[in-house]
Amino acid sequence: MSTLVIVDHGTGNLHSVEKAFRRVGADPVVTSDPARVAAAERLVLPGVGHFGQAMDNLKKHGLIEALDDSVLRRKVPVLGICLGMQLFARRSEEGDVAGLGWIDAQVVRFEVQDTLRYKVPHMGWNSVQQKKPGRLGAWLPAAPLFYFAHSYHLVCGDEGDVLLETTYACTFPSAVERGNILGVQFHPEKSHAAGEQLLRGFLAL
């Protein structure tokens, strides 16, 4: 099996993502070593935490150049999970800092009018609606439910990047796909069978 690297940029849920990939037969490496990232054949960018802190950590460990080389030049498949997907964007309101800029998107906080019905963060199970075929979308089960935990979401400048949408106070991209760049706002590692099926799909790309 190809080398699967889970990028350690100092935020949460690394080990739960590692365990989820092991459950579906992968043997991932968790590392913040730019050389390991540069040599990877599959990359996972997970994350739970603050956008600005995550970007600072990527810079501190010298990971941005290695990630850009792997993802943009070598076209290595990359899966961003939750905050990891948000890091793909050009900029985030959380910390008001630039992201990796791999997709034309901004990260904004949920604006909730009905505070009795909708709480921030958005936490729990929710459905997704597929917006385009997509390679990752081919691995989705019928009527899947996924587990979410986030206060910020993407706003995509190019609707062609949106693979899945979810509605919670507003409709937002719950997955994006642009070539080898794939991201999900939900947590497949916490989403039982549907999540495992999606991880298998990523490994099969």
Side-chain angles (χ1 to χ4, degrees):
M1 181 170 289
S2 61
T3 305
L4 172 66
V5 167
I6 299 173
V7 181
D8 180 358
H9 53 82
T11 64
N13 90 322
L14 288 170
H15 295 298
S16 58
V17 171
E18 179 188 10
K19 288 179 182 178
F21 273 106
R22 291 193 185 281
R23 286 197 301 270
V24 297
D27 186 21
V29 174
V30 179
T31 184
S32 58
D33 180 358
R36 299 295 294 271
V37 170
E41 297 173 64
R42 294 281 189 284
L43 285 167
V44 179
L45 198 59
V48 173
H50 191 275
F51 187 103
Q53 185 61 60
M55 286 302 301
D56 283 346
N57 290 344
L58 289 176
K59 292 173 186 174
K60 180 176 69 176
H61 292 295
L63 287 165
I64 293 180
E65 184 176 344
L67 285 167
D68 281 347
D69 183 68
S70 291
V71 173
L72 302 181
R73 185 183 68 82
R74 292 200 297 120
K75 302 299 182 184
V76 168
V78 60
L79 176 66
I81 297 174
C82 195
L83 174 61
M85 180 183 82
Q86 294 177 6
L87 296 175
F88 294 174
R90 296 187 185 278
R91 196 165 195 87
S92 174
E93 288 182 352
E94 188 178 29
D96 190 24
V97 294
L100 294 167
W102 294 345
I103 63 171
D104 180 14
Q106 305 290 324
V107 181
V108 302
R109 185 174 171 85
F110 277 108
E111 291 188 6
V112 174
Q113 303 299 322
D114 186 351
T115 56
L116 293 177
R117 183 177 180 187
Y118 299 109
K119 305 297 181 184
V120 178
H122 168 212
M123 294 191 69
W125 296 89
N126 208 336
S127 60
V128 300
Q129 183 177 37
Q130 193 162 344
K131 300 301 292 181
K132 66 176 184 178
R135 294 185 297 163
L136 196 60
W139 285 82
L140 289 173
L145 291 174
F146 292 102
Y147 188 85
F148 290 80
H150 61 120
S151 298
Y152 292 78
H153 64 86
L154 286 186
V155 175
C156 288
D158 184 347
E159 286 296 316
D161 291 337
V162 180
L163 175 65
L164 305 174
E165 284 185 340
T166 293
T167 299
Y168 183 81
C170 65
T171 298
F172 63 89
S174 46
V176 294
E177 182 175 323
R178 172 180 281 271
N180 59 307
I181 299 169
L182 308 110
V184 294
Q185 183 60 69
F186 48 81
H187 289 273
E189 76 278 10
K190 296 181 179 180
S191 298
H192 306 321
E196 290 185 1
Q197 186 167 332
L198 186 139
L199 296 181
R200 288 189 184 95
F202 175 67
L203 294 173
L205 294 178

